[in-house]
Amino acid sequence: MKIAVGQGSCGIAAGAMKTYEILNSNLDLNKNQLTVTGCIGMCYLEPIVDVYACDGLHRFVKVNGEIAEKIATAINNNDLTSVKEFEISNDDKQFLDKQTRIALRHCGVINPEIIEDYTNDDGYKALNKVLTTMSPEDVIEEIKVSGLAGRGGAGFPTWFKWNAARQSTGDKKYLICNADEGDPGAFMDRAVIEGDPHNLIEGMLIGAYAIGASEAIVYVRAEYPLAIRRLQNAIDQAMAKGFIGQNIMGTDFSCDFRIKAGAGAFVCGEETALIESLEGSRGMPRLKPPFPAQSGYWHKPSNINNVETFANVSWIILNGGNAFSSMGTENSKGTKVFALTGKIKRGGLVEIPMGKTLRDVIFDIGGGIKNDKNFKAVQMGGPSGGCIPEELLDTVIDYKALSQTGAIMGSGGMVVMDDSTCMVEMARFFLDFTAKESCGKCVHCRLGTKRMLEILTRITEGNGKEDDIELLEELCLAIKDGALCGLGQTAPNPVLTTLKYFKNEYIEHIVDKKCTAHECTNLLRYEINEDACKGCTLCAKKCPVGAITGTVKNPHKIDMAQCIKCGNCVSVCRFNAVEVK
């Protein structure tokens, strides 16, 4: 039997290394093959162990050390029925069954550290097809037919960028992959690199051939050590096989390949700021035009796409542009990968055809809200995106439809919120992020986001003023109009969408000094229900500042002047007598 242990970052964090070690120690390796793979996407079920037996795939989930020993014994005894209770449930199978996987097709299936696993599944066949039967113009035309748009957030037509770089004159051209995935809650690019690095390499080589680039560079976050290690290993293997370097596959095409580990600045997701960082300067955006296709890395013609964009390329070449464009909507073709996180039952990586609705992803694939609480909103596009409320759950997932809600597709972060989430605090959280990540080059972004953050902080602390809402709206519009790059231009989106759909919460914070979600600590008030209190004194004993008084078997009281709102009284009360208002 073949046994594969999921060892993406999520699996390792959940204990997959220990699971692997126990299997390695207990399995009869003379009869069985033990290997590793990347993230299959079901991060909420890690560690995952896939057993490929004669009767098909057996997927075991949440495999701790004790379960791993039992699985090893069952495999050695050729009796997997004895551990059937640890296999994935039919409900959880829906997570993958309802997806269409192109960019993620190899993730969680092949061993990312063995090139033969990739080549045995049509790996590098697309590159061979391109180099032996297609001209660069043919490649660009096939990408045009596919309708592939950049998956980094803007959704700009990939063929157009490739064609612009192709037509630019220069003694040297560069192809760059933007793997600087900085959105809170986003991990799509990391998972693709960790689980299928050769697919990224092949897609980039095809792109380099199309534009005439002799060097390909992956700019990846230094915070992704496993992704960097596996990608470097894949580069070394591809060079040894003749897929990278001089006269690739015996043709006239030559292309070098290297990795640049970035310092992790969010603004470096903007292509010209990325180029500045790549050149060794501080990551700050350049004025455009000229665009990178004319003057990019070292002022040479350059093309930049993100990981997911390149991960679709080899599939398109092998299956044809029409096969890709047959999926999706009129304006948004193919599939899109999302990182589904937050208050969701099934969190992980989701790849679906464009045209599905938010409800399809959150409830059909994601299984709905944790603890069956009420859905409140979903944040799309990270700090640059916006919050979409329940009444818009049936919004179709494509670039145009999402932008009409005030959110954006972004790179694919999808953070789900329930009714315990304060939308004012959520806006403050994202503004805090963008204000810190602003490079400071332009005044509107540098000072505007800081002023907005000060206002939002004031509101969440209970010191909001009646004209704060109007001032926030004014600042939002000024920053969007005046900021130099996409970071500043989109930074107001979380505030604008929460003001649009959840204005009542802002008014409640400012006028009533209340936070019904109970997230804003300064606006909370703790009271003891005298009818429910049994006078056990436990809350008084656990109060760190002595704010609770009362005698045994008699109702207690909380002095709010002393209360520091630590919540200890709520957590220790066995009678639910402490109420948060």
Side-chain angles (χ1 to χ4, degrees), residues 40 89 104 141 168 244 246 436 494 509 549 553 572:
I40 191 69
S89 69
L104 301 179
E141 181 61 26
S168 293
I244 294 175
Q246 299 300 305
K436 289 174 179 175
H509 279 64
T549 56
K553 296 185 179 181
V572 301

Side-chain angles (χ1 to χ4, degrees), residues 75-91:
I75 292 172
N76 290 336
N77 295 333
N78 199 27
D79 181 23
L80 289 175
T81 58
S82 64
V83 287
K84 193 172 182 61
E85 63 184 293
F86 305 118
E87 287 195 54
I88 188 171
S89 69
N90 288 329
D91 284 345

